[in-house]
Amino acid sequence: MNPVLCGLAANTALPPELVDRLVATADADIAVELAGRADLSRAQAVALASRVEESAVRLVYEGKLTAADIDPTAQPDAALALLDEGAGDPEWARLLAADPIVERRERLAACAGLPVDVVAALAADSDARVVAELASRTTPETAAALAAHPHAEVRRAVAANEATPPTVLAALISGEGLPPARWCLVCDREETPYAHDPHGPRPDCDLPPGASCDGSHESTVHDMLQAALRNTATPTEAVIGFAGHPSTLLRWALTTRPDLPSEVYGRLAADATPGIRADIAANPAIADDLIRVLAADREPFVRRALADNPRIPLDVLTDLARTTRIGPTPLPRIAVASDDEVRELARSPIPAARMLVALRRDLPAVLRDELATDPDAKVVKSIAPHPGLSEAQLRAMVDRHGTRVVARVATNPQASPQLLTDLTRHEPSVRKVFREVARHRNATATALLACLVDWQARSIAAGHPALPPPVITELLADADRQVAEAAAANPSLPLAVMCELVPSP
């Protein structure tokens, strides 16, 4: 990989004639960057696909190639990409349904809108992986037919398909009305009984850890049950009995469902597995009384999950904020708080509550300004990126709270060039400041030169268009490949240097 040429291939200021030269000499790495260019012409895209065959797939997904540009026999992967986009010729699907490479038939099975005869051919494919891929996303009628497929892997895929009819999903759970499965991916490859070591997988085996079969295809059946329990199309009455199942994974599969009776949610909320309780805590379908029970859970990450529940009562959330580390992530409940609730939170005696509401970027000016002068540094850190703050307010924050807030002040989109420069000179310095300044659109050359000293900020600063052109040119030879690539992608790189770097065909 040549980092400089890869950077140039992504440089938005590269003129068309130099793009042509790169297309004519591209390798696979350069082709990846060229394929992502917004200004790549159709002629350049066709030439690139001809030179680097694997680039054709990305060019399709980038909208640079059409069916007229693709030969499905010579470029089957690109043809599959077009079929996946719904822009391929139906005849290609018939051709690819007979492709000898299983992975291609599998990818074809994932495409929507296939002709009926192609769907029938894929449903009868000799490889279960192809049929399973079809089953996982096909129509209700085809999914219902495949529920009786003799391969357990296909039934697992049917169980995961939300288009599968509810009665079929219930039958997959109970087994009623379906013949027993005859094969699974384990007994396809190994003599039974067989159990794949979950801790020391064989290097020549691609079965998942823990895969096993004693003739009953137990690991695949277990996976099928998990898929059916997670599937919201599965009838409630078919799944509620699993709340007390010995398998932790099957109980866990119920936790995100929106349709369970309150007593089942309550049983899962008392589960010995903390992860199950955490997922129940985040489920918007649980009632207020259960939310209050979970607020007292002994595990901090269960309480943290509860904070993400959009239906959590505000008083519970405020109490949680006292004892649970929530961090600088906007919470769903805060996002939908009413005007009165926002005022209540912003003027709460609890700093953590003020911090949560300070993360909103649509606060009334009076509340925003109050929070900007908050005595608690955590609150100020939350409000510092608010775009409505003035430079005087931002400087006052730094004066009062110093290193605790300087990095967040540097993220403010309206921070002035001089303020950003001053933040890079703050004593004592905070390393994260350099990264934030390096990516700020208002950063000056002086500030960016200071950022180059920090190894984590160096590659970010190297790509900033305000960096002086001579410095950008020097960075092309940097020992760090990421820095060199970022410098080459910098639109302020002199044109003469670009011309020297791009090889002639």
Side-chain angles (χ1 to χ4, degrees):
M1 173 182 174
N2 185 321
V4 170
L5 291 182
C6 285
L8 281 171
N11 193 315
T12 57
L14 196 70
E17 58 272 18
L18 293 186
V19 174
D20 285 337
R21 281 164 56 179
L22 273 180
V23 167
T25 58
D27 60 16
D29 295 317
I30 295 169
V32 168
E33 303 300 335
L34 288 170
R37 291 187 65 90
D39 62 350
L40 196 73
S41 70
R42 180 167 178 256
Q44 289 169 332
V46 171
L48 183 61
S50 175
R51 176 175 175 80
V52 183
E53 184 179 345
E54 54 264 45
S55 69
V57 172
R58 181 172 180 187
L59 288 165
V60 167
Y61 285 120
E62 293 285 346
K64 305 292 174 52
L65 295 176
T66 67
D69 305 315
I70 297 298
D71 176 354
T73 303
Q75 299 165 297
D77 293 327
L80 280 166
L82 276 166
L83 286 168
D84 185 41
E85 292 282 278
D89 187 327
E91 286 302 319
W92 296 357
R94 296 183 175 95
L95 174 70
L96 291 163
D99 195 291
I101 297 177
V102 172
E103 289 75 17
R104 288 195 182 130
R105 302 200 306 275
E106 200 172 351
R107 285 169 54 198
L108 177 65
C111 297
L114 295 172
V116 173
D117 58 313
V118 173
V119 172
L122 294 170
D125 198 279
S126 60
D127 195 296
R129 292 169 295 176
V130 176
V131 188
E133 186 62 49
L134 177 71
S136 67
R137 59 191 75 214
T138 192
T139 61
E141 296 76 17
T142 303
L146 290 174
H149 196 279
H151 204 286
E153 183 66 17
V154 175
R155 299 187 186 201
R156 180 206 57 75
V158 172
N161 188 340
E162 293 185 356
T164 300
T167 54
V168 175
L169 291 166
L172 285 170
I173 290 176
S174 68
E176 294 178 8
L178 296 175
R182 296 168 59 189
W183 306 290
C184 68
L185 292 179
V186 179
C187 59
D188 279 349
R189 310 175 195 188
E190 306 287 345
E191 288 188 20
T192 57
Y194 175 82
H196 193 44
D197 187 346
H199 304 295
R202 288 183 358 216
D204 62 336
C205 180
D206 61 358
L207 290 171
S212 62
C213 181
D214 60 3
S216 65
H217 324 299
E218 63 271 16
S219 65
T220 308
V221 169
H222 187 272
D223 290 346
M224 180 194 72
L225 289 173
Q226 280 191 74
L229 295 177
R230 289 196 186 98
N231 194 329
T232 54
T234 305
T236 306
E237 58 272 18
V239 307
I240 55 176
F242 287 85
H245 197 279
S247 167
T248 299
L249 293 177
L250 295 184
R251 300 196 308 276
W252 212 323
L254 296 173
T255 55
T256 57
R257 291 188 65 97
D259 58 346
L260 301 179
S262 58
E263 61 269 19
V264 176
Y265 285 127
R267 184 171 186 177
L268 293 168
D271 198 280
T273 303
I276 290 178
R277 302 199 305 274
D279 282 359
I280 285 293
N283 191 328
I286 63 174
D288 284 4
D289 57 345
L290 191 54
I291 288 177
R292 295 182 185 277
V293 169
L294 287 163
D297 195 279
R298 63 185 180 276
E299 291 288 348
F301 76 88
V302 174
R303 302 196 301 273
R304 176 62 186 83
L306 186 64
D308 280 322
N309 192 314
R311 291 191 61 254
I312 185 171
L314 209 56
D315 64 304
V316 178
L317 181 55
T318 302
D319 286 340
L320 272 183
R322 298 173 187 259
T323 59
T324 306
R325 188 170 184 171
I326 294 174
T329 305
L331 298 178
R333 179 63 180 86
I334 300 298
V336 298
S338 67
D339 292 345
D340 288 343
E341 289 172 333
V342 167
R343 275 192 297 274
E344 178 186 341
L345 288 165
R347 290 165 179 166
S348 169
I350 304 169
R354 303 197 301 275
M355 179 189 75
L356 293 178
V357 77
L359 291 167
R360 283 185 53 151
R361 297 293 170 252
D362 59 349
L363 294 173
V366 62
L367 296 180
R368 177 200 65 209
D369 294 344
E370 287 177 14
L371 293 168
T373 60
D374 198 280
D376 192 288
K378 292 180 181 177
V379 178
V380 175
K381 282 176 67 175
S382 293
I383 199 69
H386 199 293
L389 294 169
S390 68
E391 179 168 350
Q393 289 173 308
L394 294 172
R395 289 187 179 277
M397 292 177 183
V398 176
D399 291 341
R400 285 195 310 274
H401 299 287
T403 56
R404 291 175 292 179
V405 303
V406 287
R408 295 288 284 172
V409 169
T411 68
N412 191 292
Q414 292 176 238
S416 71
Q418 187 56 55
L419 174 58
L420 293 171
T421 301
D422 292 344
L423 292 177
T424 65
R425 297 169 176 166
H426 188 275
E427 291 294 342
S429 65
V430 176
R431 288 187 60 186
K432 191 175 180 182
V433 167
F434 297 108
R435 299 197 297 274
E436 299 298 349
V437 171
R439 60 172 59 97
H440 202 292
R441 63 184 180 184
N442 293 339
T444 62
T446 303
L448 292 167
L449 290 172
C451 294
L452 289 173
V453 177
D454 182 82
W455 70 271
Q456 288 184 305
R458 190 174 175 83
S459 61
I460 304 171
H464 199 293
L467 199 64
V471 177
I472 301 171
T473 304
E474 287 179 17
L475 292 173
L476 294 172
D478 199 272
D480 187 322
R481 298 169 68 92
Q482 287 184 310
V483 174
E485 185 170 352
N490 194 319
S492 295
L493 184 68
L495 177 59
V497 177
M498 294 183 188
C499 293
E500 292 176 5
L501 292 170
V502 178
S504 297

